[in-house]
Amino acid sequence: MPPPLKIAGLTLDSPFILAPMAGFTDSAFRRICRRLGAGLVITEMASVEGLRHRSPKTLHYLEAGPEERPVAGHLYGADPDAFVEAAAVAESLGRFDLIDINCGCPVPKIARRGAGAALIEDPGKIGRLVKAVREAGRLPVTVKTRLGTRRGRPRIGEILRAVEGNGGAAIFIHGRWAEDRHRGEAYWEAIAEIKRSAAIPVVGNGGIATAGEALEALRRWGVDG
């Protein structure tokens, strides 16, 4: 078994993490994955606007049982004040070990609101979101993002510096461009390059279909998870 993964003060017994996937990673699925060895599971995306108003529909996405832990609450939005309020709601539930900020969802209805992948083009704002949430609460803050919005315009280096510089605990990188959605190969070489310059844990994502491929990604690319 590969060594444990440490994110801030949290030690994961496995470096294999269940990525957040809308429509899939509900509580039942997360419990199964924890039993089968996931070191960390992450909720589906929850809207910060819905959480700040305690919308029952949004709160449903953050239902989680103690057997899932460690578990991260996965939030999306664009307004720093809404993020602070939403993170406070999530933290008050007493269910989560991390707050994860979505900066990579390419779905148009998300990006049109300035959230998800739209944040990729504004690394400074990503940094401000991380800082606001981190300073307002007790839980470590992580970011899930992509290499950039489109080929030929990588932003991941700037995003890493913004996350690190504002106290982010780790970065999860999907090795595709937002314009690719989930098509084509993931560019693990780019993830590995970022890992070599990172001071925080780097978790790679994209194109992993088997346990063997996950083990090979750890060995070949040097990522933390």
Side-chain angles (χ1 to χ4, degrees), residues 13 15-17 20 43 68 103 114 146 151 158 162 181 207 217-218:
D13 55 15
F16 303 113
I17 295 170
T43 70
E68 297 176 43
C103 300
R146 290 177 178 240
R151 287 183 180 82
E158 298 168 76
R181 303 286 288 268
L218 285 180

Side-chain angles (χ1 to χ4, degrees), residues 113-133:
R113 301 174 188 169
L119 290 166
I120 291 172
E121 293 296 340
D122 193 349
K125 185 169 187 178
I126 293 175
R128 292 191 294 275
L129 292 176
V130 170
K131 183 178 181 180
V133 174

Side-chain angles (χ1 to χ4, degrees), residues 93-104:
L93 298 173
R95 301 169 183 167
F96 299 109
D97 302 279
L98 301 168
I99 297 295
D100 188 49
I101 299 176
N102 184 290
C103 300

